[in-house]
């Protein structure tokens, strides 16, 4: 791809740029088509040739790492990757240059960082260049690895963008239904308040009924206790009366009066035929 203006320095090593024809006619201002001789002399193949044709290292290197083109001051420039083999010092220099550019361009140490991704991609291209010069087969394999990594990253980027769009759409849908949810929530809160008040009311009624039943039970228990005491008292008097009667110690008048008393307290009450005429029920 052709760019305008000065081109940025890269970690990938290039040869000196080749100056071509002006990009515009100074008289008409139109673009000047490339000449046949210029094209054949400067441009190299950018399509990877088949292995069966036994391409040269230069053809493979130019196909893997195509030249870059730009226009500067009206002139068209082409720059090809260097075919010079690398040495150990070149690798050390590459490492230093990578760290330097990461610092200069303020690349992040972690997370998604386009600057760091670009610089490491250039560094990997330089490694591919060095390996391809010494072993074209290894260079082709690294080229496949590089393309596979780029394709995978692109797929993840597409997936991420789709996820973001999906999340935004779901958020918009949620916001549209938020008013209905809020209204339903308020209605449920009011219903909860009514049920809580109803619970308090029923609990108060239950406590009142339970208290009333306890008081009634206590009264009945006291009444039964009084009746039981009276019956015991009556039983003692009757026993004494029978004892005296058997001994013959009572005269006729006292006997008649005692019988009348016994009949009085053992006969049913006129108000309640089921109850005796005891002091507690009188």
């Amino acid at each position: 791809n052709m760019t305008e203006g000065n081109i940025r320095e890269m970690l990938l090593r290039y040869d000196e740029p080749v100056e071509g024809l002006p990009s515009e006619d100074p008289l008409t201002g139109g673009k000047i088509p490339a000449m046949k001789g210029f094209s054949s002399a400067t441009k190299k193949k950018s399509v990877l040739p088949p292995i069966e044709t036994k391409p040269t290292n230069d053809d493979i290197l130019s196909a893997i790492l195509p030249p870059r083109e730009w226009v500067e001051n009206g002139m068209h420039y082409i720059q090809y990757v260097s075919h010079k083999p690398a040495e150990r010092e070149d690798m050390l220099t590459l490492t230093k240059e990578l760290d330097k550019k990461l610092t200069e361009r303020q690349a992040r140490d972690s997370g998604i960082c386009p600057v760091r991704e670009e610089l490491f991609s250039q560094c990997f291209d330089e490694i591919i260049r060095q390996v391809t010069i010494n072993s074209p087969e290894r260079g082709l394999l690294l080229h496949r690895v590089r393309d596979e990594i780029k394709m995978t990253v692109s797929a993840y980027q597409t997936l991420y963008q789709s996820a973001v769009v999906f999340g935004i759409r779901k958020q918009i849908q949620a916001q549209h239904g938020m008013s209905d949810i809020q209204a339903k929530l308020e209605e449920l809160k009011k219903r909860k308040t009514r049920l809580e008040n109803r619970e308090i009311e029923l609990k108060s009624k239950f406590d009142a009924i339970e208290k009333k039943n306890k008081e009634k039970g206590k009264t009945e228990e006291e009444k039964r206790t009084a009746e039981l005491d009276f019956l015991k008292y009556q039983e003692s008097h009757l026993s004494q009366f029978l004892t005296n009667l058997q001994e013959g110690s009572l005269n006729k008048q006292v006997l008649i009066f005692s019988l009348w008393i016994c009949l009085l307290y053992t006969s049913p009450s006129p108000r309640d035929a089921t109850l005796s005429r005891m002091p507690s029920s009188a």
Side-chain angles (χ1 to χ4, degrees), residues 104-119:
E104 290 178 351
R105 299 181 61 179
Q106 299 179 353
R108 301 182 194 174
D109 295 334
S110 60
I112 300 176
C113 180
V115 175
R116 191 178 73 250
E117 179 184 358
E118 178 187 355
L119 292 177

Side-chain angles (χ1 to χ4, degrees), residues 2 14-22 33-46 58-59 62-63 65-70 75-81 83:
M2 187 180 300
Y14 284 89
D15 290 331
E16 292 296 327
V18 179
E19 183 178 347
L21 295 175
M35 296 178 62
K36 185 176 181 181
F38 171 77
S39 176
S40 60
T42 57
K43 287 195 175 183
K44 298 183 180 180
K45 296 180 180 179
S46 60
D58 293 346
D59 294 336
S62 298
L65 302 170
R68 57 179 181 175
E69 305 178 31
W70 73 95
M75 297 299 296
H76 180 204
Y77 293 92
I78 301 179
Q79 191 175 25
Y80 298 94
V81 294
H83 294 259

Side-chain angles (χ1 to χ4, degrees), residues 7 39 87 93 102 125 143 145 166 210 222 237 240-241:
I7 194 165
S39 176
E87 299 179 356
T93 303
L102 287 172
D125 288 343
H143 171 258
V145 172
F166 178 78
E210 187 177 15
E222 292 176 352
H237 277 274
Q240 184 67 31
F241 173 75

Side-chain angles (χ1 to χ4, degrees), residues 176-190:
H176 285 319
M178 188 63 67
S179 58
D180 297 337
I181 295 176
Q182 290 289 345
K184 188 174 181 180
L185 179 61
E186 293 297 330
E187 181 181 355
L188 291 175
K189 286 182 178 180
K190 293 179 180 179

